[in-house]
Amino acid sequence: MRPERTLRIIAGQWRGRKFRFPPLDIRPTPDRVRETLFNWLQPRIEGARCLDLFAGSGALGLEALSRGAASVVFVEQQRAAAAAIEQLLTAWQATGAAVFCTEAQRYLSAAEARGFDLVFLDPPYGSGALATAANALERGWLARDARVYIEHARRDALPALPGSWRELRSGTAGEVGYHLLQVSESAPAGSVATT
């Protein structure tokens, strides 16, 4: 195994398991950042309904399933990456998971909206997809008091986000900037979550 294409599950039922992802243009969330994120989310993971919208390697959704999430929907437009996630889920006998090989915006436009408790947003850097996806999620995709995780290039500022999203935590690691936001119905109209 080439180490740079190998990831490991940090905690939960699959703790320590390693998996490979295809040699594609995929930038997985670093272990250190995943560990921090799931420490923040620890009280909310058990039984959560999750959406891994730009799944890539699937590391975020897999970590959530390992730690007791009720379900994870993986959305990934690269066929080889989506197939790799499906194969892994089958090999690990995972339940509560579904993989959609489609572009994120197409999924949010075509699928039936359901209220997710936790959404992972880690689009390709510089794609402009973050703001578009965030606004689309506001149309029935988020449960009351949902959490949204955003990852982006550290050098770039966050785009304008929906006014109901309030930042709870943030951090940086190398070239990565990451944020955990709460979706609150009581946010003032027109307010924007920023770093």
Side-chain angles (χ1 to χ4, degrees):
M1 277 197 244
R2 295 175 58 194
E4 68 272 17
R5 290 227 163 286
T6 302
L7 296 170
R8 70 178 175 88
I9 300 296
I10 297 166
Q13 65 174 329
W14 300 323
R15 180 180 181 169
R17 285 202 190 183
K18 294 182 179 179
F19 62 97
R20 295 178 65 188
F21 58 96
L24 301 168
D25 185 18
I26 293 175
R27 176 195 35 77
T29 301
D31 281 5
R32 187 174 122 207
V33 174
R34 270 190 295 130
E35 187 163 14
T36 298
L37 167 64
F38 282 93
N39 284 342
W40 292 345
L41 292 172
Q42 191 56 43
R44 306 188 68 88
I45 289 292
E46 189 74 34
R49 294 161 299 165
C50 307
L51 173 62
D52 193 349
L53 192 55
F54 300 87
S57 68
L60 292 171
L62 291 166
E63 189 75 42
L65 281 173
S66 180
R67 293 174 184 243
S71 63
V72 176
V73 171
F74 297 84
V75 178
E76 172 52 47
Q77 67 178 348
Q78 297 186 79
R79 186 164 303 283
I85 295 169
E86 286 183 321
Q87 290 167 7
L88 197 62
L89 291 167
T90 299
W92 290 1
Q93 301 179 330
T95 57
V99 181
F100 292 87
C101 183
T102 186
E103 192 268 334
Q105 193 59 41
R106 183 171 293 138
Y107 174 79
L108 294 176
S109 299
E112 183 179 344
R114 50 182 140 162
F116 287 103
D117 303 303
L118 176 59
V119 177
F120 303 110
L121 287 181
D122 181 12
Y125 289 174
S127 67
L130 185 53
T132 305
N135 288 316
L137 286 167
E138 283 287 281
R139 297 190 289 272
W141 288 99
L142 301 169
R144 183 182 179 89
D145 198 36
R147 297 294 187 269
V148 179
Y149 169 75
I150 291 176
E151 193 173 309
H152 63 100
R154 181 178 181 174
R155 66 182 178 274
D156 298 334
L158 275 178
L161 298 172
S164 60
W165 294 19
R166 181 175 64 89
E167 184 169 272
L168 297 175
R169 300 277 190 97
S170 66
T172 58
E175 299 301 311
V176 176
Y178 54 97
H179 310 263
L180 182 63
L181 299 106
Q182 175 184 21
V183 178
S184 169
E185 295 177 345
S186 61
S191 68
V192 175
T194 59
T195 53

